[in-house]
Amino acid sequence: MPIRELPTKPYTDQKSGTAGLRKKVAVFQQPHYLENFLQSIFDVEASLKGKTLIIGGDGRYHNREAIYTAIAMAAGNGIAKVIVGQGGILSTPAASNLIRVHNAAGGLLFTASHNPAGPDGDFGIKFNIAGGGQAPEALTGKLYEVSRQITRYRIFEGANVDLDRRGSQQLGDTLIDVVDSVDDYARLQQSLFDFDRIRDWFKRGGRITFDAMHAVTGPYARRILVEQLGAPESSVINAMPLEDFGGGHPDPNLIYARHLHDLALSPDAPDLIAASDGDGDRNMILGRGLFISPGDSLAMLAAHLDKLPGYKGGLKGLARSMPTCRAVDVVAKALKVECFETPTGWKFFCNLLDAGRLTLCGEESFGTSSSHTREKDGLWAVLAWLNVVATTGLSVQQIASQHWARHGRHYYVRHDYDELPVASANTVVDTLRKALPALVGVTHGDWTITQADEFGYTDPVDGSVATGQGLRIVFGDAARIILRLSGTGTEGATIRLYLERYETAADKLAWTTTDALAPIAAIADKLVRINELTGRKGPSVVT
Ligand code: G1P
Ligand code: ZN
């Protein structure tokens, strides 16, 4: 048998962050680095043996090598069947769906999401469990522990798998099935949305521009938007996936996809403008002349979801991550459904989705999805918007104005301070944490602080507890200032500062976000003192 057990030495830094293990490519290229982490997964999840495992990645630099290793180690660890996307390609939501469709015991997803790719860029791995969701905290904690003691790994030596040929191949006792990367995902979307209606909307002249940002969604968007829904070929731009994402930063927001904002403001703007990120789980939505913030997008989709075929049975519940603006809470109240506030990171939605308590959820970081899968789903959000526009006959702009007139408007912005020295980032957080107890009752301008604490979460389904999930300063329903450290960066520390302001009066609904949030930003400056404590002049990125 070519299955061998080879000696290795542990690394001490294989600690998962908000979404899996993410490091520089060079870190992953160290001898046995990936093997160690994979073996930790096979050791901790012994129940994978004899079962089906899904493998795929976002196509970034190092994807193929990692996937060959993963397949050989799956065969070395007694996996009965590996289903892998052709060419090693699977978007994150497509991989989550395949786990569900094939009743697989789990999945290995190679991605660093929107982080830049290439030899000097980032790489990453996420382990998703049966049901399609990301490994919960308890499991990633165990992986970290095991990875620090690992002494050997098991691999099928000399494996020669053809990743580009669809169909079955045998590797010892393990069946390797190379499948089309898009088929099952496209079928799923077709079951949720009114494709006839959307097709008709395109026929009547409706126009979309979808930017795949040279990342994984190109083939998915082409198949669904162009081949199945009849949008013109030119509707999907940057559709060719590239190993280095064309040198770009496939993080669809107002910084890295500024050109889409400019397009939205141009005289010949299409009706809907959208983009997704490196691995296809994020989405950005713009209408003619208007950017829809992710928190608004979540709330507006919630308000219209019952019009979409896959959701006619009614809404079970809604959820947002803590720093996401509270627009969806207002809709939940109007619809009389539960609304959950979870820590940052998609994994926290999964128990609620599995328990059937949630239909739609989202994060401020351009993530939206529903109970149809267990990851956020970029193209899903785009199709949902298309379906709402086609069904209501309203423009994106009209949908937004009507929504704000009825529910009020949450102005929202996130400030990122990237690559700070860890000590300096910790000083900011520690200083504010200490100051919190004295803040309640203090008035700043028109607003009084009603709550100032550190967010902790007890999972309503399994009772698991997550502490230290961000500091929040709440001014009743009127405003919030949130501070937390990023868990996905690969260099130094990143501070995220989130500012939110809620207005309901008719004459306060059409301000610019910058104007509306200026007074909140001034208060945050005084209370959080990031510039003063870090020596920075301002945020590195504003989204
Ligand atoms: C960021 C986002 C978070 C998202 C995660 C993975 O994590 O803030 O909402 O779930 O990326 O896409 P962070 O770097 O803030 O820990
Ligand atoms: Zn992503």
Side-chain angles (χ1 to χ4, degrees):
M1 278 295 260
I3 292 176
R4 291 197 50 199
E5 197 165 279
L6 299 174
T8 187
K9 288 209 178 80
Y11 289 89
T12 54
D13 64 346
Q14 300 197 327
K15 188 173 187 184
S16 296
T18 311
L21 183 68
R22 221 174 265 188
K23 303 277 177 199
K24 291 272 162 222
V25 166
V27 174
F28 269 98
Q29 285 171 328
Q30 296 173 94
H32 316 310
Y33 192 87
L34 177 61
E35 287 86 342
N36 281 12
F37 192 69
L38 288 170
Q39 190 60 50
S40 306
I41 295 173
F42 291 123
D43 287 351
V44 170
E45 289 288 277
S47 59
L48 289 173
K49 214 169 175 176
K51 303 271 175 50
T52 299
L53 186 67
I54 307 298
I55 300 182
D58 62 17
R60 67 177 58 226
Y61 182 83
H62 202 54
N63 193 57
R64 267 181 188 258
E65 290 87 326
I67 286 179
Y68 287 129
T69 303
I71 292 174
M73 284 189 62
N77 281 277
I79 301 299
K81 182 175 177 182
V82 168
I83 298 175
V84 56
Q86 192 172 8
I89 299 293
L90 285 177
S91 78
T92 290
S96 177
N97 179 50
L98 278 182
I99 295 174
R100 296 166 69 74
V101 169
H102 294 278
N103 225 342
L108 300 172
L109 283 61
F110 294 95
T111 170
S113 189
H114 52 280
N115 293 15
D120 300 323
D122 289 350
F123 195 71
I125 172 171
K126 287 198 303 189
F127 174 61
N128 282 31
I129 54 176
Q134 290 173 29
E137 297 255 286
L139 177 51
T140 52
K142 254 191 239 159
L143 293 180
Y144 179 45
E145 240 172 70
V146 170
S147 73
R148 284 186 301 172
Q149 289 150 26
I150 201 139
T151 55
R152 35 105 228 143
Y153 67 93
R154 289 172 65 79
I155 191 158
F156 187 104
E157 278 210 319
N160 186 14
V161 174
D162 185 351
L163 270 185
D164 299 303
R165 180 167 57 86
R166 256 184 269 168
S168 298
Q169 305 162 49
Q170 200 72 34
L171 204 56
D173 291 336
T174 305
L175 184 74
I176 315 295
D177 206 1
V178 179
V179 300
D180 181 90
S181 309
V182 183
D183 279 352
D184 278 305
Y185 179 83
R187 215 170 288 133
L188 171 69
Q189 304 300 339
Q190 201 159 3
S191 74
L192 300 172
F193 301 116
D194 191 340
F195 272 32
D196 287 340
R197 198 127 195 187
I198 302 175
R199 216 175 281 127
D200 195 51
W201 181 80
F202 279 123
K203 272 202 198 116
R204 286 186 283 111
R207 287 192 300 140
I208 186 173
T209 293
F210 176 85
D211 189 347
M213 303 186 92
H214 286 305
V216 79
T217 47
Y220 294 86
R222 283 216 54 227
R223 174 85 64 85
I224 296 173
L225 295 174
V226 178
E227 290 173 30
Q228 300 187 332
L229 292 170
E233 187 91 36
S234 57
S235 307
V236 181
I237 60 171
N238 300 319
M240 173 72 85
L242 298 173
E243 274 203 337
D244 65 348
F245 301 144
H249 196 146
D251 192 1
N253 58 39
L254 290 176
I255 301 298
Y256 299 114
R258 188 79 204 168
H259 56 286
L260 296 183
H261 185 254
D262 297 343
L263 177 64
L265 297 183
S266 72
D268 192 33
D271 303 280
L272 187 68
I273 300 159
S276 190
D277 70 331
D279 62 328
D281 58 357
R282 294 189 176 201
N283 76 90
M284 181 192 195
I285 302 289
L286 302 105
R288 216 175 285 134
L290 181 72
F291 161 67
I292 303 289
S293 80
D296 267 345
S297 173
L298 174 65
M300 291 171 193
L301 286 180
H304 289 282
L305 207 66
D306 62 342
K307 300 182 183 72
L308 311 183
Y311 303 90
K312 290 245 177 308
L315 263 185
K316 295 228 179 67
L318 297 166
R320 61 167 170 83
S321 63
M322 187 275 282
T324 304
C325 81
R326 294 175 290 179
V328 71
D329 303 41
V330 179
V331 176
K333 206 162 168 200
L335 294 174
K336 299 195 175 59
V337 295
E338 258 187 304
C339 189
F340 300 91
E341 182 178 50
T342 59
T344 294
W346 205 261
K347 55 183 176 257
F348 292 102
F349 294 130
C350 289
N351 274 347
L352 292 164
L353 289 163
D354 284 345
R357 293 177 68 176
L358 209 54
T359 303
L360 181 70
C361 44
E363 295 193 271
E364 52 68 39
S365 51
F366 297 79
T368 329
S369 194
S370 85
S371 46
H372 70 287
T373 191
R374 292 295 177 271
E375 288 277 7
K376 54 195 180 218
D377 188 344
L379 263 175
W380 175 91
V382 178
L383 292 167
W385 267 96
L386 262 180
N387 202 156
V388 171
V389 167
T391 302
T392 58
L394 299 171
S395 68
V396 172
Q397 172 74 266
Q398 286 166 326
I399 291 168
S401 317
Q402 289 184 6
H403 188 96
W404 293 329
R406 170 154 185 221
H407 298 289
R409 178 170 183 183
H410 286 79
Y411 294 97
Y412 188 82
V413 77
R414 182 175 104 182
H415 291 182
D416 293 338
Y417 295 77
D418 290 334
E419 295 180 23
L420 287 166
V422 175
S424 141
N426 286 339
T427 304
V428 174
V429 175
D430 294 343
T431 310
L432 181 63
R433 187 184 287 115
K434 276 194 210 113
L436 287 177
L439 292 181
V440 179
V442 176
T443 294
H444 291 269
D446 295 342
W447 301 283
T448 301
I449 300 174
T450 54
Q451 189 185 356
D453 60 7
E454 182 152 26
F455 182 57
Y457 179 69
T458 303
D459 187 299
V461 179
D462 66 13
S464 57
V465 173
T467 53
Q469 298 296 321
L471 306 180
R472 51 183 180 181
I473 302 171
V474 185
F475 304 79
D477 287 338
R480 285 192 312 165
I481 296 168
I482 313 282
L483 182 82
R484 59 178 283 282
L485 290 175
S486 157
T488 58
T490 55
E491 240 161 316
T494 295
I495 288 182
R496 304 204 195 283
L497 177 76
Y498 310 81
L499 308 175
E500 170 190 322
R501 174 176 178 182
Y502 181 46
E503 290 297 341
T504 52
D507 61 336
K508 296 181 175 170
L509 299 178
W511 289 336
T512 67
T513 300
T514 314
D515 288 348
L517 289 170
I520 309 295
I523 298 172
D525 234 14
K526 253 192 251 159
L527 297 179
V528 191
R529 299 160 52 207
I530 301 181
N531 291 337
E532 183 192 327
L533 295 171
T534 62
R536 288 279 170 97
K537 293 213 168 58
S540 351
V541 179
V542 176
T543 52

